[in-house]
Amino acid sequence: MISFFLLLLGCRKQWDPDQQFSNEVSEIIQKREASVFLNESLAKDRLRSLDRKLNASLHPGLEVSKFNDLLGSLGHIIARKIENSSEWVTVRYDWDDIVAHHFTVDSPEYRYCSKTKPYVEVTLNEVRIVSINWL
């Protein structure tokens, strides 16, 4: 019986604090990497969802107020014409401006979106969308 106990004590691993610390650090790093990957995946899913929503919602005839709710006011005016006391404007919206409107510039969605992608050019009058050119 005593020899069995001594055998168990001899086979038992010694606690190594350095190894334990290293294991814990590795575990923390793995959890953080998984969290970053999950957050990035969720943000990219929300960007794809926004793109689908805009493609389904934007159409000629849409009222300007509803259009502004969808895209915001950060478009770049490309052309402007006044005809018969009615103003017609062509505006280009970049993807990052739309993402900033829907999320924020501090959001993961904004961090992962393309900052150089033109998204859409829209011609509108004072009341409605006249035409849409997807870029």
Side-chain angles (χ1 to χ4, degrees):
M1 181 74 164
I2 293 177
S3 61
F4 177 72
F5 181 69
L6 291 175
L7 181 64
L8 282 178
L9 283 176
C11 294
R12 187 176 68 138
K13 289 185 179 180
Q14 293 253 333
W15 174 63
D16 183 353
D18 293 332
Q19 185 61 46
Q20 180 179 351
F21 178 76
S22 178
N23 292 344
E24 289 174 0
V25 168
S26 293
E27 184 178 329
I28 291 169
I29 289 171
Q30 288 174 347
K31 286 180 180 179
R32 184 177 185 286
E33 287 172 350
S35 175
V36 166
F37 177 76
L38 178 62
N39 288 340
E40 180 179 346
S41 294
L42 291 173
K44 288 180 179 180
D45 285 345
R46 286 190 287 269
L47 289 171
R48 283 188 289 275
S49 177
L50 175 60
D51 182 48
R52 285 190 302 275
K53 173 186 171 186
L54 294 176
N55 275 284
S57 302
L58 295 176
H59 55 83
L62 182 68
E63 294 176 8
V64 170
S65 62
K66 291 179 183 176
F67 171 80
N68 287 336
D69 288 343
L70 289 169
L71 294 187
S73 59
L74 296 176
H76 309 281
I77 295 175
I78 296 172
R80 182 179 298 211
K81 181 179 182 180
I82 298 178
E83 185 176 296
N84 297 331
S85 70
S86 181
E87 183 178 39
W88 291 62
V89 180
T90 300
V91 183
R92 186 189 79 226
Y93 288 85
D94 293 333
W95 183 234
D96 62 325
D97 292 332
I98 296 168
V99 171
H101 171 71
H102 281 271
F103 301 101
T104 65
V105 294
D106 297 323
S107 69
E109 292 78 10
Y110 188 81
R111 196 172 319 122
Y112 296 118
C113 80
S114 170
K115 309 296 187 290
T116 60
K117 177 182 171 187
Y119 188 70
V120 68
E121 283 183 6
V122 179
T123 301
L124 54 126
N125 59 28
E126 296 163 339
V127 180
R128 300 192 185 291
I129 303 302
V130 176
S131 69
I132 297 174
N133 182 27
W134 297 98
L135 305 173

